[in-house]
Amino acid sequence: WTLQYTVDEVSDMLNKAGIPGCPINTVDRMVKDPHIAEARNMFPEIDHPVAGKTKLTNNAIKFTATSSEPEKPAPTLGQDNDIVYGEFLGLNKEEIAQLKASAII
Protein backbone atom coordinates (compact mmCIF):
# COMPACT_ATOMS: atom_id res chain seq x y z
CA TRP A 1 0.00 0.00 0.00
CA THR A 2 2.91 2.33 0.51
CA LEU A 3 3.74 2.48 -3.20
CA GLN A 4 0.91 4.93 -3.79
CA TYR A 5 2.38 7.49 -1.37
CA THR A 6 5.60 9.45 -0.98
CA VAL A 7 8.02 8.60 1.80
CA ASP A 8 6.93 11.67 3.75
CA GLU A 9 3.24 10.85 3.36
CA VAL A 10 3.76 7.33 4.73
CA SER A 11 5.78 8.69 7.64
CA ASP A 12 3.07 11.25 8.45
CA MET A 13 0.29 8.63 8.26
CA LEU A 14 2.14 6.25 10.55
CA ASN A 15 2.85 8.94 13.13
CA LYS A 16 -0.74 10.22 13.06
CA ALA A 17 -1.91 6.65 13.69
CA GLY A 18 0.37 6.44 16.75
CA ILE A 19 2.96 4.25 15.04
CA PRO A 20 6.46 5.72 15.40
CA GLY A 21 8.09 5.93 12.02
CA CYS A 22 10.46 8.03 10.03
CA PRO A 23 12.16 7.76 6.66
CA ILE A 24 15.64 6.43 6.23
CA ASN A 25 17.16 9.19 4.19
CA THR A 26 18.77 8.46 0.87
CA VAL A 27 21.55 10.74 -0.32
CA ASP A 28 19.20 12.75 -2.55
CA ARG A 29 16.93 13.44 0.44
CA MET A 30 19.77 14.07 2.87
CA VAL A 31 21.39 16.83 0.81
CA LYS A 32 18.07 18.72 0.82
CA ASP A 33 17.17 18.10 4.48
CA PRO A 34 17.22 21.47 6.31
CA HIS A 35 18.35 19.88 9.58
CA ILE A 36 21.21 17.87 8.09
CA ALA A 37 22.37 19.94 5.13
CA GLU A 38 21.81 23.38 6.56
CA ALA A 39 21.66 23.41 10.37
CA ARG A 40 24.45 20.83 10.75
CA ASN A 41 26.39 22.25 7.78
CA MET A 42 27.07 18.78 6.39
CA PHE A 43 27.98 20.00 2.91
CA PRO A 44 30.16 23.11 3.20
CA GLU A 45 31.52 24.76 0.09
CA ILE A 46 35.26 25.27 -0.18
CA ASP A 47 37.36 26.97 -2.84
CA HIS A 48 39.81 24.56 -4.49
CA PRO A 49 42.65 26.05 -6.57
CA VAL A 50 41.98 23.69 -9.52
CA ALA A 51 38.36 22.52 -9.15
CA GLY A 52 36.96 25.88 -8.03
CA LYS A 53 33.98 26.00 -5.64
CA THR A 54 33.43 22.44 -4.39
CA LYS A 55 31.01 20.98 -1.87
CA LEU A 56 32.54 18.60 0.65
CA THR A 57 30.97 16.19 3.07
CA ASN A 58 31.59 17.47 6.59
CA ASN A 59 32.18 15.38 9.70
CA ALA A 60 28.88 14.06 11.07
CA ILE A 61 30.23 14.16 14.62
CA LYS A 62 30.03 17.66 16.09
CA PHE A 63 31.98 18.81 19.14
CA THR A 64 31.26 21.84 21.27
CA ALA A 65 34.87 22.96 21.71
CA THR A 66 36.40 21.72 18.46
CA SER A 67 35.46 22.68 14.93
CA SER A 68 34.83 19.90 12.44
CA GLU A 69 34.81 22.28 9.48
CA PRO A 70 37.26 21.51 6.67
CA GLU A 71 40.22 23.85 7.06
CA LYS A 72 41.53 23.68 3.51
CA PRO A 73 40.83 21.95 0.20
CA ALA A 74 42.44 18.67 -0.83
CA PRO A 75 46.03 19.18 -1.97
CA THR A 76 46.81 19.33 -5.66
CA LEU A 77 49.00 16.65 -7.20
CA GLY A 78 52.50 16.98 -5.74
CA GLN A 79 51.63 19.96 -3.54
CA ASP A 80 53.00 18.31 -0.40
CA ASN A 81 55.96 16.51 -1.98
CA ASP A 82 58.59 18.63 -0.18
CA ILE A 83 57.00 17.85 3.20
CA VAL A 84 56.66 14.13 2.46
CA TYR A 85 60.17 13.68 1.04
CA GLY A 86 61.86 16.13 3.39
CA GLU A 87 60.15 15.79 6.77
CA PHE A 88 58.83 12.24 6.56
CA LEU A 89 61.54 10.54 4.49
CA GLY A 90 64.44 12.70 5.65
CA LEU A 91 65.72 13.77 2.23
CA ASN A 92 67.58 17.07 2.10
CA LYS A 93 66.83 19.86 -0.38
CA GLU A 94 69.58 18.78 -2.77
CA GLU A 95 68.30 15.19 -2.90
CA ILE A 96 64.76 16.40 -3.55
CA ALA A 97 66.01 18.79 -6.27
CA GLN A 98 67.93 15.92 -7.92
CA LEU A 99 64.78 13.74 -7.92
CA LYS A 100 62.82 16.63 -9.48
CA ALA A 101 65.54 17.28 -12.09
CA SER A 102 65.50 13.58 -13.01
CA ALA A 103 61.67 13.73 -13.38
CA ILE A 104 61.32 11.03 -10.72
CA ILE A 105 59.03 13.26 -8.70
Side-chain angles (χ1 to χ4, degrees):
W1 68 266
T2 61
L3 291 176
Q4 59 189 321
Y5 302 104
T6 68
V7 172
D8 293 320
E9 289 171 332
V10 172
S11 180
D12 289 342
M13 285 188 279
L14 289 172
N15 285 295
K16 285 177 184 172
I19 303 167
C22 66
I24 296 174
N25 279 335
T26 54
V27 173
D28 61 318
R29 287 178 54 88
M30 186 174 54
V31 297
K32 297 174 189 168
D33 185 295
H35 176 72
I36 295 170
E38 295 169 25
R40 295 185 57 79
N41 193 29
M42 281 302 298
F43 306 103
E45 193 171 75
I46 195 162
D47 194 22
H48 189 274
V50 175
K53 294 275 184 198
T54 307
K55 283 198 175 216
L56 303 177
T57 302
N58 206 347
N59 191 342
I61 300 170
K62 307 294 184 191
F63 300 102
T64 54
T66 305
S67 173
S68 64
E69 299 295 316
E71 295 177 7
K72 59 184 179 178
T76 57
L77 184 62
Q79 178 179 327
D80 294 328
N81 280 358
D82 289 342
I83 295 168
V84 172
Y85 296 121
E87 293 180 23
F88 294 129
L89 298 179
L91 300 179
N92 62 41
K93 289 180 182 182
E94 292 77 28
E95 292 170 314
I96 295 171
Q98 185 178 17
L99 290 173
K100 287 180 181 178
S102 301
I104 295 172
I105 58 171

